[in-house]
């Protein structure tokens, strides 16, 4: 399947507020087509670059907005956990077991969703980057120019691609998760897990995540332009988990 | 406040300048510079414009001395793109189109080696002439942006550091240093108009030294973007916690220019929260008060305002801030509170969701690293091809045998695409992607020794292809022909 189609599918599956924030791959391809290699059509080329820059600005703005939200939410989550443990937890003055458990459940859910959103933002960043690389490759091919390398060099430094902070937040989230989740044994739980997932799982985020993984795998499977400088095929153990994705019956 | 001391410490460390620290770096302003300059330059006093134009001309001429093909290609290409911007912004005129016509032949020919240089020169002089004849403000904005872009593109030798820095994550400190330097540069620029011209020529001349030290280039390009961005009353983008407004003139061009984007960090947020609590909580605190208390340079009231708004929303309804999907599952929560077993099931489901998310995160990290390395390789190959063209091609055998790891990898990657592909296919299926590139390197190195001989052949091979179209794609195509054949076979399986 072509990248454009995959991107479109991914966008369809994504969180609704994000839909128009992705790369307008189709439009850029159209512009490239307008660039005829015979006559130097400066307008189309200029438009292309203009749109490219506009897209990058869009990514940056959206990404930083989300990042800011994540920072705030992370802090809030930490404080919430602390207060719940302090007031209702076993070590507090008046431990209220039921309430405590209730609150902890809520917190767990929030943490997982928070984690999910952050990872999806990373995915957003990555997929747009991939799209940019591809579209620039097409452009170079079409015009014979060497726009790709220098352009990508600047892209690599854009805020939307420098996801270190989000990555850090994700890892912190994972650590917090371990503290907050009760310890249970693996094994028999697995079967039940899979069933329950379809019933209880957070709809858009989980679904999105699975879709993202599947997309990533498919995109890297190999194509006619596969070269030593392409990404290798994606190998995911336990990939049967992601088969849930196609008709996930969500409550 | 913590911010202050941190800033002053970094100020004194010049070493950090040499790292073209990745995230949110100033060159992030690169693609968006032209528009900002277009917007802002017409407002500049004429005297400045004149001096700038003069400086730019001398610099652009000087740039032609640089024999690097990619540079002139980039610069030339960006010329046309910049002109395109102006036409997009209703500045269309006949002369613009004329210049476009002159540009494009340049672009398509610039991808050829050597022979393009005289052509470059003539087309440039042609352009220069048309500059004087056309409207003043427009020219200046274009030229400035062109040269800026050209210069910002020059530091090719730095990128290796780039990606390392990115993964190293030691960004904040570098950005602080950069920022403080910007501050130092900004102030004289504001105060003394005469300095502008001289600063320009200094900066641009610095940038024109071939095989620049990363430091020089970096400072030059920093200061350049600083200059241009300062004109638009915006600061340079940086990733650090201290002052991180990011210029996005394209978007701000349409709306008010006083909305620079801020890149928040947890530390900055901490500072913010402290200020807010001091002022009596999120409801009571005012943006002005918070701004004053925070005492962070470069932070504007708009930043604080919007951040405060977000903060209030997050505090007020912590559940709803998690996203719209939250609301759908509230009925489930009631269920779970009643039924303990369901509660456990939900926890397990969450655990599973978490696992999947973790997996995606891992894969994204790996993919990102691979992408970075691929870009590195690509740039390195590009450099090598250029060097080869310059040196006439017969020196090639030396290059791969240099002790540099990346050079060995990349040359061997080219030499043995089919073998690498085969090992890729076999091993990638069964192994973690993180070790993928390593494997390729290993197998390539094993084969590399046997392939010294074919290298001389390939260098001959490269020469004729360079005349044709663009360098790397066609050369790569020749290389990967075998790879494609084998991949076609494997994908059809």
């Amino acid at each position: 399947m072509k990248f454009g189609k995959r991107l479109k599918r991914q966008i369809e599956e994504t969180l609704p507020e994000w839909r128009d924030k992705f790369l307008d791959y189709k439009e850029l391809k159209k512009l490239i087509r307008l660039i005829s290699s015979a006559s130097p059509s400066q307008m189309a080329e200029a438009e292309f670059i203009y749109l490219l820059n506009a897209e990058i600005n869009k990514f940056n703005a959206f990404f930083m907005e989300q990042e800011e939200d994540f920072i705030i939410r992370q802090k809030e989550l930490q404080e919430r956990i602390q207060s719940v443990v302090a007031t209702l937890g076993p070590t507090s003055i008046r431990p209220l077991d039921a309430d405590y458990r209730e609150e902890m459940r809520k917190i767990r859910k929030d943490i997982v969703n928070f984690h999910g959103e952050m990872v999806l933002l990373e995915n957003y960043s990555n997929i747009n980057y991939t799209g940019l690389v591809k579209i620039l490759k097409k452009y170079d091919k079409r015009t014979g120019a060497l726009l790709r390398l220098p352009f990508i060099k600047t892209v690599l430094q854009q805020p939307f691609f420098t996801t270190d902070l989000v990555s850090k937040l994700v890892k912190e989230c994972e650590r917090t998760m371990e503290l907050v989740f009760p310890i249970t044994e693996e094994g028999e739980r697995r079967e039940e897990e899979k069933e329950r997932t379809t019933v209880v799982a957070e709809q858009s985020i989980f679904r999105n995540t699975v879709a993202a993984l599947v997309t990533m795998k498919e995109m890297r499977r190999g194509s006619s332009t596969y070269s030593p400088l392409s990404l290798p095929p994606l190998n995911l153990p336990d990939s049967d988990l992601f088969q849930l994705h196609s008709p996930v019956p969500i409550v | 406040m913590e911010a202050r001391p941190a800033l002053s410490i970094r100020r004194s460390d010049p070493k950090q300048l040499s790292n073209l620290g990745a995230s949110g770096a100033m060159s992030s302003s690169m693609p968006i510079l032209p528009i900002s300059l277009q917007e802002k330059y017409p407002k500049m006093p004429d005297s400045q414009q004149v001096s700038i134009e003069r400086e730019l001309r001398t610099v652009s001429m000087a740039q032609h001395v640089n024999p690097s093909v990619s540079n002139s290609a980039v610069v030339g290409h960006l010329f046309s793109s910049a002109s395109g911007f102006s036409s997009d912004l209703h500045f269309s005129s006949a002369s613009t189109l004329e210049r476009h016509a002159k540009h494009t032949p340049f672009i398509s020919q610039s991808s050829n080696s050597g022979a393009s240089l005289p052509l470059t020169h003539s087309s440039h002089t042609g352009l220069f002439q048309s500059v004087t004849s056309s409207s003043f403000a427009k020219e200046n904005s274009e030229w400035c942006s062109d040269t800026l872009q050209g210069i910002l593109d020059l530091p090719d030798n730095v990128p290796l550091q780039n990606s390392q820095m990115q993964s190293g994550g030691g960004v904040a400190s570098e950005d602080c240093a950069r920022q403080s330097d910007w501050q130092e540069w900004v102030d004289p620029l504001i105060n003394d108009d005469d300095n502008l011209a001289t600063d320009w020529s200094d900066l641009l001349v610095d940038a024109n030294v071939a095989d620049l030290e990363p430091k020089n280039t970096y400072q030059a390009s920093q200061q350049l973007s600083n200059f241009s961005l300062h004109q638009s009353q915006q600061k340079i983008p940086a990733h650090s916690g201290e002052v991180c407004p990011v210029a996005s003139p394209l978007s701000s061009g349409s709306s008010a220019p006083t909305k620079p984007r801020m890149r928040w960090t947890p530390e900055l947020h901490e500072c913010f929260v402290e200020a807010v609590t001091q002022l009596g909580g999120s409801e009571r605190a005012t943006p002005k008060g918070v701004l004053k208390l925070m005492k962070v340079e470069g932070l504007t009231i708009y930043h604080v305002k919007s951040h405060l708004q977000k903060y209030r929303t997050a505090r007020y309804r912590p559940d709803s801030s998690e996203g719209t999907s939250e609301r759908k599952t509230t009925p489930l929560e009631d269920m779970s509170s009643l039924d303990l077993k369901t509660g456990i099931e939900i926890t397990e489901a969450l655990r599973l969701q978490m696992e999947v998310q973790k997996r995606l995160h891992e894969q994204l990290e790996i993919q990102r690293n691979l992408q970075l390395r691929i870009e590195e390789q690509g740039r390195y190959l590009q450099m090598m091809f250029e060097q080869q063209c310059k040196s006439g091609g017969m020196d090639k055998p030396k290059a791969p045998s240099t002790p540099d790891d990346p050079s060995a990898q990349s040359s061997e990657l080219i030499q043995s695409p089919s073998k690498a592909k085969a090992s890729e296919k076999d091993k990638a299926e069964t192994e973690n992607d993180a070790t993928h590139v390593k494997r390729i390197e290993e197998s390539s190195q094993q084969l590399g020794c046997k392939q010294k001989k074919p290298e001389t052949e390939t260098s001959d091979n490269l020469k004729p292809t360079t005349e044709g179209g663009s360098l790397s794609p066609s050369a790569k195509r020749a290389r990967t022909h075998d790879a494609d054949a084998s991949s076609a076979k494997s994908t059809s399986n």
Side-chain angles (χ1 to χ4, degrees), chain A residues 42 53 57 65 68 73 75 102 109 115 117 122 126 153 156-157 167 182 197 202 220 233-234, chain B residues 27 31-32 100 156 162 166 250 261 270 307 310 322 325 329 337 351-352 361 363 365 367 433:
Chain A
Q42 324 75 359
N53 284 328
N57 282 342
E65 184 96 29
E68 191 177 345
R73 267 159 76 179
K75 185 97 196 337
E102 171 75 25
K109 189 144 94 61
H115 181 269
E117 270 192 61
E122 281 182 325
N126 203 282
K153 207 166 64 174
L156 290 177
Q157 289 157 358
S167 184
T197 311
E202 188 52 56
R220 281 162 64 163
L234 187 60
Chain B
S27 11
I32 47 193
H100 283 311
D156 277 316
N162 256 351
Q166 272 181 329
L250 255 188
R261 205 137 243 305
E270 278 283 344
H307 197 73
K310 286 186 195 260
E322 300 296 330
S325 35
T329 55
S337 60
R351 223 188 267 271
L352 176 65
H361 172 68
Q363 291 302 326
E365 298 260 280
Q367 180 156 311
D433 303 305

